[in-house]
Amino acid sequence: MNKLLTIVMPAYNMEAYLGGALDSILACKRADRVEALVVDDGSTDATPQVIATFEQKAPNVVRGVRKENGHYGSAVNRGIAEATGDYVKVVDSDDWVDGGALDELLAFLESAGEVDLVLSDYVRVFEDCEEPVSVADIPPRKVLPFSDVRLRPCIMHAITYRRDVLRKSGLRLDEGILFTDDEYALFPTAWVNTLAYVPEPVYRYRLGRAEQSVSPENLERTLADNWQVAQAVMAWRRSLAARGVQPANLAYVNEKCAAIAYEHIRRRLLSSDAEQGRRVTRELEAFLTDDVGIAPADLERHVRFLRATDYAGWGVLAAYKKRRAKG
C-alpha cells in the first residue's frame, strides 16, 4: 500500500525521547498508511539502536536513515528527499503526536483528494501544564482556495504539506544552523493553491528542556543562527518580485516575514552587543517598511520607539527586556 503521509523525524542524540515519539505514531489505527522516517543526524548515543529496534518492531512503518551530523536543516532536507508519502509532516524527535488526532488527519487526507497545505492544531506541553493552540478560524475539513482565506502565520507544528508542493517550491533549508523551521513554515507557502484545516491537535510540542534552542539560556548563544535565518528570509522575500507569486500568497508571506523579523528583534534586545543590536534592528526595520510594506506608523511599538529615537534608545529598551526576561 502506498504511504499517505511521511512523518520526517530529525534525531540527534535523542535516545531518551525517540521511542516515545515513535510509539505515539504506532498508536494510531491507520499507522500502516504512515512512513515514520527517522533521520539520524550523526548521533553518538544509543539513537541508532532505538531506530533499529523500531524497524524490527514495525518494519512497514518505521524507516531509519543515517547521515553525518549537519544539524536540523540538513536532516529535514534529507527527510524530504527520501519521503515516499503523498504528504509530509515534520515531527521533532523530542515531541510526539496524538494517535487519535493523527487518525483524524489521515482520514481527511484519504478523502480530500489533493490539497497543498493542511493545518491542524497543536498542544504546547510544559512540565506542569498544557496549552492548546488553535491555528485557524476557517470551516474545518473543507478544501478551500488559498486566495479565499486569511490565515494567521503558522509554525511548523501546525503544517502538513503535499510532497509535490515541497518539491515544486525548491525548498532547501539552511544547513549547519538552528531555527530553520521558520524557513520550512514559510518558503513553500508561496506556492500553495489550496488548503484545509483539521482542528484536532495532532502535534504535542514539548517545552521546558534546558537543551532546547528556544530555552532562555540558549537564546543569546544561538543568536547568530537566528540572524542567519532572518537574513535568508529577507533575501528569499526580495527574490519573489520576479517569481509571479499570487497576491493572497504574498499577503501571507508578508505577515510571516514580519513575525520572523519582529521575533529576531525581540531576541536581539537580550543580546549584550548593543552596537550590533542597533545595526541589525535598523536593517530589519528597513526590511519591514521597504520590502514587507508596513507603514512606519504600523510597526510594532518597540520598533516605533527605536525608530523615533534614531536607535539611541536601544540600550534602554534592551535593559527593560532583560529585566522582563528574568522575571
Side-chain angles (χ1 to χ4, degrees):
M1 184 181 296
N2 291 336
K3 294 298 184 179
L4 181 63
L5 174 67
T6 293
I7 294 180
V8 174
M9 191 171 288
Y12 176 71
N13 289 352
M14 282 292 160
E15 62 175 307
Y17 300 99
L18 179 57
L22 290 171
D23 276 332
S24 73
I25 295 170
L26 296 177
C28 81
K29 297 176 182 177
R30 299 170 183 262
D32 61 324
R33 301 305 314 277
V34 176
E35 175 186 43
L37 182 59
V38 186
V39 182
D40 177 7
D41 192 35
S43 296
T44 57
D45 67 353
T47 294
Q49 287 74 30
V50 175
I51 296 170
T53 297
F54 275 87
E55 285 181 314
Q56 293 178 352
K57 178 181 177 180
N60 189 43
V61 178
V62 179
R63 178 162 69 98
V65 175
R66 184 165 173 84
K67 58 181 287 297
E68 292 184 2
N69 181 256
H71 295 282
Y72 188 83
S74 71
V76 174
N77 289 338
R78 179 67 177 272
I80 293 171
E82 294 265 355
T84 64
D86 297 329
Y87 293 86
V88 175
K89 187 171 186 66
V90 176
V91 175
D92 291 344
S93 50
D94 57 344
D95 297 329
W96 69 101
V97 298
D98 179 282
L102 180 58
D103 273 321
E104 294 290 336
L105 174 62
L106 290 165
F108 174 76
L109 295 177
E110 281 184 324
S111 65
E114 292 186 352
V115 53
D116 292 341
L117 168 65
V118 181
L119 301 176
S120 52
D121 291 343
Y122 63 96
V123 178
R124 292 160 54 94
V125 182
F126 300 89
E127 289 187 1
D128 57 352
C129 67
E130 296 185 355
E131 180 182 286
V133 179
S134 178
V135 301
D137 184 20
I138 59 178
R141 295 179 175 80
K142 184 176 181 180
V143 179
L144 300 166
F146 194 87
S147 58
D148 287 359
V149 176
R150 178 68 182 270
L151 288 178
R152 302 188 297 272
C154 290
I155 67 172
M156 181 194 75
H157 309 320
I159 289 172
T160 300
Y161 287 120
R162 190 161 63 90
R163 185 186 61 181
D164 288 349
V165 169
L166 288 176
R167 293 180 176 171
K168 176 184 176 183
S169 73
L171 176 68
R172 186 162 184 81
L173 305 186
D174 280 320
E175 301 191 356
I177 61 171
L178 303 169
F179 303 111
T180 50
D181 52 311
D182 276 333
E183 297 175 344
Y184 183 85
L186 172 61
F187 294 169
T189 60
W191 315 113
V192 167
N193 292 317
T194 56
L195 82 161
Y197 171 49
V198 176
E200 280 72 19
V202 175
Y203 199 108
R204 309 278 294 182
Y205 177 27
R206 187 194 308 270
L207 288 160
R209 290 198 305 113
E211 314 95 274
Q212 287 178 298
S213 59
V214 295
S215 69
E217 296 81 4
N218 285 332
L219 284 179
E220 182 161 359
R221 182 178 62 81
T222 58
L223 196 59
D225 286 4
N226 193 262
W227 174 231
Q228 187 171 329
V229 169
Q231 289 175 300
V233 166
M234 288 190 286
W236 175 83
R237 170 60 185 84
R238 288 163 181 152
S239 77
L240 292 183
R243 300 182 68 183
V245 176
Q246 295 298 311
N249 297 73
L250 191 60
Y252 177 83
V253 161
N254 283 342
E255 286 197 42
K256 182 65 176 176
C257 284
I260 291 168
Y262 285 134
E263 175 61 21
H264 184 79
I265 292 170
R266 285 189 286 271
R267 290 173 185 263
R268 184 65 67 172
L269 287 168
L270 298 174
S271 169
S272 58
D273 190 336
E275 184 55 39
Q276 186 182 46
R278 292 186 185 93
R279 179 182 61 79
V280 166
T281 304
R282 189 179 283 113
E283 183 175 342
L284 286 165
E285 179 236 310
F287 169 70
L288 289 166
T289 55
D290 299 346
D291 297 285
V292 176
I294 299 176
D298 295 329
L299 291 166
E300 287 191 355
R301 183 171 58 182
H302 57 293
V303 182
R304 294 201 310 270
F305 170 77
L306 293 170
R307 182 184 176 93
T309 63
D310 195 25
Y311 290 84
W314 197 93
V316 174
L317 187 54
Y320 170 74
K321 288 287 185 181
K322 287 176 183 176
R323 285 198 301 272
R324 288 287 301 272
K326 291 178 181 178

